Amino acid sequence: QQQVKQSPQSLIVQKGGIPIINCAYENTAFDYFPWYQQFPGKGPALLIAIRPDVSEKKEGRFTISFNKSAKQFSLHIMDSQPGDSATYFCAARERGQNFVFGPGTRLSVLP
Amino acid sequence: DGGITQSPKYLFRKEGQNVTLSCEQNLNHDAMYWYRQDPGQGLRLIYYSQIVNDFQKGDIAEGYSVSREKKESFPLTVTSAQKNPTAFYLCASSIGRQGSGTQYFGPGTRLLVL
């Protein structure tokens, strides 16, 4: 119940495309859902985060869509660029507990 | 310039040797964490500390030890009991205690076995 499932494992899109990464969870007590971006050999960097009382959040070209009833949330990258090529992790946290991370999605944006 | 620093960037361990990875933060964060990342896998929690002089085991603490003598420092020792230590180690911190703030990560240390 503490797992966060993430798909796909890897994703290849053309420049300008809209990659979508999906995450699903079971624990309804999760109350905070961040996404992290990690470049090879670097630490993950916080990209965008959402709470379950909001269905969508946008920051620049990155959008989180949240479906509380389905217990799913997804990351959309608008007008993707080769510089967006990285591994993306979703995570979830229940207040008072540690974060649970998805296994990651490796995104490649072709020029 | 605030942030989390980890050193060294690369570390080599000989069999039977203990090695210590450094993590320092100047963000005035209460909580600090150590994660292990293996290729193609997510992050697994080794140890965490919510306050100075206190720390708890995470999911994969066997073969590791930590200390938290200062708020800004949380070193991780990989002991000889850890039989498969080759991995990328990430330190993180958060402003509040467990569960009350976003985690921010350091640049990582890659540990390799000779």
Side-chain angles (χ1 to χ4, degrees):
Chain A
Q1 193 177 18
Q2 283 299 100
Q3 279 188 324
V4 174
K5 296 180 180 179
Q6 184 173 346
S7 62
Q9 187 175 2
S10 62
L11 186 56
I12 301 174
V13 299
Q14 294 286 338
K15 177 183 174 182
I18 306 175
I20 300 173
I21 304 170
N22 301 297
C23 285
Y25 63 96
E26 290 296 324
N27 185 355
T28 55
F30 285 150
D31 68 349
Y32 182 67
F33 303 88
W35 283 90
Y36 287 88
Q37 178 189 57
Q38 185 180 29
F39 293 106
K42 306 292 185 184
L46 178 66
L47 198 57
I48 186 173
I50 198 168
R51 296 191 184 276
D53 53 346
V54 176
S55 61
E56 185 176 280
K57 183 174 181 180
K58 277 186 184 180
E59 284 187 9
R61 295 184 293 108
F62 300 93
T63 299
I64 299 179
S65 297
F66 190 88
N67 186 331
K68 189 174 181 178
S69 60
K71 291 183 283 186
Q72 295 175 348
F73 58 109
S74 59
L75 177 70
H76 302 233
I77 306 176
M78 309 301 289
D79 187 27
S80 59
Q81 302 296 313
D84 296 329
S85 298
T87 298
Y88 293 81
F89 293 95
C90 62
R93 183 210 66 198
E94 176 183 352
R95 181 162 286 278
Q97 303 297 320
N98 289 313
F99 279 92
V100 178
F101 290 87
T105 294
R106 180 174 290 184
L107 172 66
S108 296
V109 181
L110 303 178
Chain B
D1 190 22
I4 303 172
T5 57
Q6 291 186 241
S7 62
K9 187 172 183 179
Y10 296 95
L11 186 58
F12 298 91
R13 193 191 92 164
K14 295 180 181 177
E15 197 162 331
Q17 186 182 41
N18 293 354
V19 292
T20 298
L21 285 62
S22 169
C23 177
E24 303 277 332
Q25 55 98 359
N26 61 3
L27 301 168
N28 199 32
H29 285 176
D30 290 314
M32 297 186 75
Y33 309 81
W34 274 106
Y35 291 91
R36 171 180 171 140
Q37 185 176 32
D38 293 283
Q41 296 191 29
L43 305 177
R44 291 187 290 169
L45 183 63
I46 304 173
Y47 268 98
Y48 63 98
S49 169
Q50 300 178 60
I51 197 169
V52 174
N53 292 324
D54 184 58
F55 48 83
Q56 286 81 38
K57 293 181 179 180
D59 301 320
I60 55 164
E62 186 175 349
Y64 300 97
S65 66
V66 294
S67 63
R68 186 87 187 276
E69 297 177 1
K70 298 186 294 183
K71 186 176 184 178
E72 59 269 24
S73 178
F74 191 40
L76 173 74
T77 297
V78 184
T79 74
S80 57
Q82 172 51 244
K83 298 307 179 188
N84 183 24
T86 298
F88 191 48
Y89 290 87
L90 289 160
C91 179
S93 69
S94 62
I95 191 167
R97 294 191 179 186
Q98 181 186 19
S100 65
T102 295
Q103 289 190 359
Y104 297 91
F105 287 86
T109 292
R110 187 165 300 279
L111 177 60
L112 300 165
V113 177
L114 294 176

